[in-house]
Amino acid sequence: GRLVRAVALPLETALAMVTSIPARAAGLDAEHGRLGENCRANILLLDPGELQIRRLIIDGVADRKPM
């Protein structure tokens, strides 16, 4: 959240910087870094105002709690 606010970075760009871009760089983009068929269901739900973590979904398990 700080980077988005501090430099007025679009949220979509900030999310790509921590999802699809590193997955592609690591050669994991077939299953990671995006939502799609045959992809791992790793999802981070954020509070839209403060961009705080509200819930984690890891490998499709939705009962993960934020750290």
Side-chain angles (χ1 to χ4, degrees), residues 12-35:
E12 295 81 10
T13 302
L15 291 175
M17 292 171 66
V18 296
T19 58
S20 58
I21 294 171
R24 188 173 35 249
L28 301 172
D29 55 321
E31 291 185 345
H32 296 277
R34 61 188 175 89
L35 296 176

Side-chain angles (χ1 to χ4, degrees), residues 16-66:
M17 292 171 66
V18 296
T19 58
S20 58
I21 294 171
R24 188 173 35 249
L28 301 172
D29 55 321
E31 291 185 345
H32 296 277
R34 61 188 175 89
L35 296 176
E37 188 174 349
N38 298 316
C39 291
R40 308 275 303 259
N42 296 327
I43 302 168
L44 175 70
L45 299 177
L46 300 172
D47 173 275
E50 295 297 316
L51 299 178
Q52 297 295 319
I53 298 171
R54 293 293 172 223
R55 192 154 196 195
L56 299 175
I57 301 171
I58 299 173
D59 290 333
V61 179
D63 61 354
R64 309 289 183 169
K65 301 294 181 202

